[in-house]
Amino acid sequence: FSRIKGMVVFFFLPWFCSGEPAPPLLCFHTFLDPSNMVYLRWHHDEQELMTFELQLHTTGWVSLGFSSHGELPGSDMVIGGVFPNSSIYFSVN
């Protein structure tokens, strides 16, 4: 786990910018790859609002897909990154 550093900004960004209370403790977690370099933590509340944190080494961007069938076609995608000027972009597709 100590090797994982980097992009943790995307899923918590709305709370930092909105002045709302901090996100909940993220109770669930797993590595998404055999090398243990991509680490995902998540939690959901009573209203089924989900909060995610994704930690990985990156060249400046990352994407995460959600699918009920385990395939890329037809999945929901979240894409985000950091521009060279350190501004952040975030998109849901």
Side-chain angles (χ1 to χ4, degrees):
F1 176 71
S2 63
R3 297 178 292 171
I4 297 178
K5 296 180 171 84
M7 314 220 25
V8 182
V9 284
F10 300 117
F11 302 109
F12 289 138
L13 186 61
W15 281 284
F16 291 140
C17 298
S18 69
E20 292 183 20
L25 178 65
L26 303 176
C27 300
F28 307 101
H29 55 91
T30 190
F31 285 97
L32 299 179
D33 67 319
S35 301
N36 292 343
M37 297 297 292
V38 181
Y39 185 63
L40 178 67
R41 296 182 348 146
W42 71 96
H43 183 76
H44 60 88
D45 62 16
E46 298 79 26
Q47 292 83 29
E48 298 189 15
L49 175 69
M50 295 194 74
T51 302
F52 294 91
E53 175 183 293
L54 185 62
Q55 298 178 11
L56 66 146
H57 290 280
T58 178
T59 58
W61 68 276
V62 65
S63 67
L64 180 65
F66 300 90
S67 165
S68 61
H69 53 281
E71 299 288 329
L72 181 61
S75 66
D76 296 320
M77 298 293 297
V78 177
I79 302 168
V82 179
F83 288 115
N85 68 0
S86 298
S87 63
I88 297 170
Y89 66 92
F90 181 74
S91 174
V92 178
N93 235 353

